[in-house]
Amino acid sequence: MGLDVSHGAFSGAYSSFNRFRQAIAKVTGGSFPPHRADADGIVMDDDVWYWGDGFSESTHRGLFVLLSHSDCDGEISPEDCVKVADELESLLPQLDAIGDGSGHILRDGGYGGVARKFIAGCREAAAANESLEFM
């Protein structure tokens, strides 16, 4: 059992989707739970995720929607799908540079490959004026 997202955006283990979101947060200079202590030994709250400098809900609505979304149900509106796709697309060089990962991330071409698949699913949903569904 795992997470399936409509329009072919994602299919894999919940842990793989979590690692994907950790990678997104990392390339934005933030952190997604579970967190590791930083170089100064500071431990962050595992109930929340953190933005990097220059990122906020108002400047990056699409990433906010994706990082805040439940990993087991719900939907992302067609309008937000466009924002998610555009903002993920801008992170592709950094996601490609992170590496291939493992498990379902590796199977789908690394973090950049997973992002490309998610972007394509978002664009397909938006073009059909359908929500992206998490199942």
Side-chain angles (χ1 to χ4, degrees), residues 1-79:
M1 184 169 176
L3 172 64
D4 288 308
V5 180
S6 67
H7 301 87
F10 184 87
S11 182
Y14 291 107
S15 60
S16 292
F17 189 69
N18 195 64
R19 287 194 313 274
F20 173 51
R21 294 197 292 182
Q22 284 176 320
I24 293 166
K26 180 178 180 177
V27 301
T28 66
S31 184
F32 193 87
H35 307 288
R36 298 174 194 223
D38 69 10
D40 297 323
I42 297 171
V43 179
M44 295 176 254
D45 183 348
D46 272 344
D47 290 331
V48 296
W49 56 269
Y50 299 89
W51 286 108
D53 290 338
F55 290 85
S56 70
E57 180 180 359
S58 61
T59 63
H60 292 83
R61 167 78 183 161
L63 294 178
F64 177 82
V65 166
L66 178 57
L67 294 173
S68 299
H69 201 279
S70 167
D71 67 355
C72 61
D73 61 8
E75 58 187 43
I76 296 176
S77 72
E79 298 79 19

Side-chain angles (χ1 to χ4, degrees), residues 55-117:
F55 290 85
S56 70
E57 180 180 359
S58 61
T59 63
H60 292 83
R61 167 78 183 161
L63 294 178
F64 177 82
V65 166
L66 178 57
L67 294 173
S68 299
H69 201 279
S70 167
D71 67 355
C72 61
D73 61 8
E75 58 187 43
I76 296 176
S77 72
E79 298 79 19
D80 282 336
C81 280
V82 172
K83 293 174 183 148
V84 170
D86 290 347
E87 293 171 20
L88 270 180
E89 197 165 61
S90 73
L91 300 177
L92 286 174
Q94 296 95 323
L95 289 168
D96 285 335
I98 285 181
D100 294 333
S102 61
H104 294 120
I105 301 291
L106 177 61
R107 175 199 70 192
D108 290 341
Y111 292 103
V114 172
R116 284 176 180 83
K117 203 170 163 186

